Amino acid sequence: KFRMPTAENLVPIRLDIQFEGQRYKDAFTWNPSDPDNEVVVFAKRTVKDLKLPPAFVTQIAQSIQSQLSDFRSYEGQDMYTGEKIIPIKLDLRINHTLIRDQFLWDLNNFESDPEEFARTLCKDLGVEDPEVGPAVAFAIREQLYEIAVQSVTSARESRLSKKGRRGSDHGSASKASGLSMDLVKLFSFKSSVVRKRKDLDVYEPAVDMLTNEEVDALEAREERHAR
């Protein structure tokens, strides 16, 4: 049944709210089992701590509730079963740190911990900014959530196919199933688990420290894209 393929079934929540000339952006995880009244409590506390206009309480609460409702709409539905080794890609800028990486993640491992993985990654790469780890963990959870949703679609189309629908396109109906099939071929007995030399750079993590001028230029570019 549908759930996040991690030890903790947490929903990635992303907020980007503009109101009364002010903008509030944030990203965090939320337990879908928590009472709904906790959303309003969180919104009120956030507005108070950040000294935002009172009208932001409703905006924040509605955005969180909407994303939680989307997540809960999939609960109880079947997920695609089979080989599910998928690539996770990171391309993030957090403050002055630019981090890029790519690695494989096992969707069948429901004991995986993105937060612990992120802490280990930052330690290994010598990243000192305490905001980088949570951002990396959130990026992983966001991608896992997208693929979990695609797995529900794949399972639904597979059931329809078994009921007599002609054609065999259900095997590649979603990105998740398509990737899993490609990786089954990649790790077949005819292949080696050792990566080819031409693939080494793709799977090698890279961390760059940006100057104030580079950060300002990137933020200006992101602002233009947002508009």
Side-chain angles (χ1 to χ4, degrees):
K1 301 298 181 179
F2 175 84
R3 59 157 290 159
M4 288 290 290
T6 55
E8 292 187 278
N9 187 38
L10 303 176
V11 187
I13 301 290
R14 186 178 289 278
L15 301 179
D16 188 352
I17 299 170
Q18 295 189 65
F19 195 72
E20 297 183 357
Q22 296 195 51
R23 186 178 187 184
Y24 166 59
K25 294 180 65 177
D26 203 357
F28 48 86
T29 55
W30 196 278
N31 189 334
S33 300
D34 283 350
D36 287 344
N37 64 342
E38 290 292 332
V39 173
V40 177
V41 173
F42 172 84
K44 289 180 177 178
R45 186 183 302 124
T46 299
V47 168
K48 180 181 178 181
D49 291 346
L50 300 180
K51 296 180 172 58
L52 295 169
F56 266 79
V57 172
T58 301
Q59 301 285 330
I60 292 172
Q62 288 180 347
S63 183
I64 296 175
Q65 286 285 18
S66 175
Q67 294 177 68
L68 287 175
S69 295
D70 288 342
F71 182 89
R72 290 166 177 163
S73 69
Y74 295 103
E75 291 181 329
Q77 298 190 47
D78 292 331
M79 295 176 67
Y80 172 83
T81 56
E83 292 290 339
K84 291 187 289 186
I85 306 292
I86 53 97
I88 297 291
K89 296 182 180 181
L90 301 177
D91 189 354
L92 305 171
R93 181 186 66 82
I94 304 93
N95 301 324
H96 286 69
T97 304
L98 190 65
I99 183 168
R100 298 186 183 90
D101 198 4
Q102 177 171 309
F103 43 86
L104 300 177
W105 198 276
D106 183 4
L107 294 185
N108 284 317
N109 180 11
F110 284 83
E111 297 301 320
S112 65
D113 187 342
E115 285 72 26
E116 178 61 29
F117 177 90
R119 284 191 291 269
T120 302
L121 179 68
C122 289
K123 181 179 178 180
D124 291 346
L125 298 179
V127 176
E128 298 180 354
D129 188 335
E131 294 185 28
V132 175
V136 168
F138 184 88
I140 294 172
R141 285 190 176 276
E142 212 168 31
Q143 293 178 63
L144 292 178
Y145 178 28
E146 178 184 354
I147 293 168
V149 170
Q150 292 167 351
S151 295
V152 171
T153 302
S154 180
R156 186 184 304 126
E157 294 182 356
S158 179
R159 287 198 305 273
L160 289 174
S161 177
K162 289 178 180 178
K163 288 181 180 179
R165 172 178 285 186
R166 293 184 178 181
S168 58
D169 60 340
H170 64 278
S172 58
S174 72
K175 187 188 301 182
S177 59
L179 287 170
S180 64
M181 292 302 293
D182 291 340
L183 288 161
V184 168
K185 296 176 183 177
L186 176 63
F187 295 118
S188 66
F189 65 90
K190 295 181 180 180
S191 301
S192 170
V193 296
V194 179
R195 294 192 177 102
K196 298 176 182 178
R197 186 173 296 276
K198 64 183 180 64
D199 295 331
L200 295 183
D201 290 341
V202 177
Y203 285 91
E204 182 179 6
V207 176
D208 294 318
M209 297 305 298
L210 305 178
T211 63
N212 290 333
E213 291 76 14
E214 289 172 325
V215 170
D216 291 342
L218 282 173
E219 288 180 344
R221 189 183 312 159
E222 291 168 0
E223 187 65 26
R224 286 197 299 272
H225 289 164
R227 289 200 300 266

